Amino acid sequence: MKNTTATILAQKQKGDRITMLTAYDYSTAKLMDESGINCILVGDSLGMVMLGYDSTLPVTMEDMLHHTKAVTRGAKNAMVIADMPFMSYQTSVYDAVKNAGRLVQEGGAYAVKLEGGAAVCDRIEAIVKASIPVVAHLGLTPQSVNAFGGFKVQGKDEARARELIEDAKKIEAAGAFMVVLECVPAKLAEIITRELSIPTIGIGAGAGCDGQVLVYQDMLGMFSDFTPKFVKKYADIGEMMKGAFTSYINDVKSGAFPEESHTFAISDEVIEKLY
Ligand code: KIV
């Protein structure tokens, strides 16, 4: 069944938890889609896990479009949400609508995600008016890493906790249909989840959210630069990959690969004529 804004909202209402993972390429998106994931996020985390930057700040619209196109070709039923990269919506409402439109029209995304609360409500309203579903992102918003002074849990003191609750209400009023809560204390995320009628998706925000998201390289053990506390490793694919690469290197060096079965035949008659 195709996932839409209506089915996602119905999941919150029924208490059926929403599943989301990031993906950045066709074959991974296809595997996730076939596994029955609700949503695939083409996160600007691709800057770190795919492109090797130390933050999401260098990611461009062209990077996002390139990866979003690949993911949408692989996802039949999952809702594909594309991140709006740094400086694609902060500059003006016009830029926000224009760039959200590109992610849908050129990239094939169903919805876009942008970071921030009250400060981006005018952007959310304008994008929604252009008939593009919007996911908001509150708490640790990685595009503000320099303003925060690092990757830190958000909302631990009363003032900031109140601000996050207010921001959540404002982005809902502005028209966002879902919100990601990143690195927010679990009890605060529970309050926000109760206060909103739109679904909350947690990452480092506890089990009280309406759904969860993880970066797929983190949950598969494929990214070792750093592993946040909130990640659960479901497999150690990184070690499996290294084992397979080493076996391949050894086989090529020893001549064990390729075997007869990996080669193409030609008739002896043809070969004789070549001498
Ligand atoms: O870019 C991303 O992958 C994200 C998730 C961590 C929510 O925004």
Side-chain angles (χ1 to χ4, degrees):
M1 187 187 71
K2 206 132 185 90
N3 289 273
T4 65
T5 47
T7 63
I8 294 292
L9 181 61
Q11 281 187 251
K12 172 165 179 129
Q13 289 160 353
K14 284 188 284 191
D16 174 15
R17 291 205 171 93
I18 299 156
T19 57
M20 184 188 294
L21 283 169
T22 67
Y24 318 97
D25 67 276
Y26 169 78
S27 48
T28 310
K30 193 159 181 268
L31 289 169
M32 286 178 188
D33 192 79
E34 288 167 358
S35 307
I37 199 91
N38 292 128
C39 305
I40 297 178
L41 172 66
V42 190
D44 61 354
S45 50
L46 69 84
M48 298 166 91
V49 295
M50 299 296 292
L51 305 178
Y53 298 130
D54 62 4
S55 78
T56 58
L57 302 184
V59 176
T60 64
M61 271 300 294
E62 300 317 312
D63 293 330
M64 290 309 305
L65 282 166
H66 178 73
H67 290 275
T68 302
K69 285 179 193 176
V71 168
T72 54
R73 285 192 284 264
K76 280 198 169 58
N77 292 319
M79 174 188 290
V80 177
I81 301 160
D83 250 342
M84 299 199 65
F86 186 54
M87 286 300 127
S88 69
Y89 58 96
Q90 287 90 345
T91 42
S92 68
V93 171
Y94 176 83
D95 285 350
V97 177
K98 188 95 192 127
N99 287 318
R102 288 191 72 197
L103 289 167
V104 171
Q105 197 168 41
E106 297 173 43
Y110 181 95
V112 298
K113 174 167 83 60
L114 51 78
E115 297 182 5
V120 295
C121 279
D122 55 352
R123 273 71 170 162
I124 296 174
E125 270 172 28
I127 297 170
V128 171
K129 268 193 196 141
S131 303
I132 299 171
V134 175
V135 180
H137 185 156
L138 295 173
L140 171 53
T141 45
Q143 292 174 16
S144 304
V145 60
N146 294 341
F148 290 148
F151 293 100
K152 295 177 184 159
V153 177
Q154 299 294 308
K156 287 185 97 163
D157 62 71
E158 186 188 335
R160 181 76 179 118
R162 282 192 189 284
E163 191 186 348
L164 279 175
I165 296 169
E166 285 314 306
D167 274 344
K169 290 180 182 166
K170 284 176 186 159
I171 58 93
E172 171 169 302
F177 80 97
M178 183 151 69
V179 57
V180 169
L181 301 177
E182 180 165 356
C183 285
V184 171
K187 286 187 176 160
L188 176 58
E190 266 178 44
I191 295 174
I192 295 173
T193 301
R194 253 197 328 268
E195 295 274 325
L196 298 189
S197 51
I198 58 170
T200 59
I201 304 294
I203 175 162
C209 295
D210 297 306
Q212 299 292 325
V213 59
L214 283 176
V215 169
Y216 92 86
Q217 285 91 340
D218 287 341
M219 57 92 74
L220 291 184
M222 293 170 66
F223 183 70
S224 56
D225 290 7
F226 67 90
T227 307
K229 173 185 158 82
F230 55 75
V231 169
K232 176 170 174 182
K233 235 191 230 183
Y234 285 83
D236 210 345
I237 305 291
E239 282 309 310
M240 283 177 72
M241 286 171 79
K242 281 200 259 177
F245 296 149
T246 307
S247 300
Y248 169 77
I249 292 165
N250 292 340
D251 277 3
V252 171
K253 285 196 181 294
S254 70
F257 174 81
E259 293 162 32
E260 183 85 31
S261 63
H262 304 124
T263 58
F264 302 99
I266 186 171
S267 79
D268 289 343
E269 255 172 54
V270 176
I271 290 295
E272 273 158 27
K273 285 187 186 140
L274 300 177
Y275 286 107

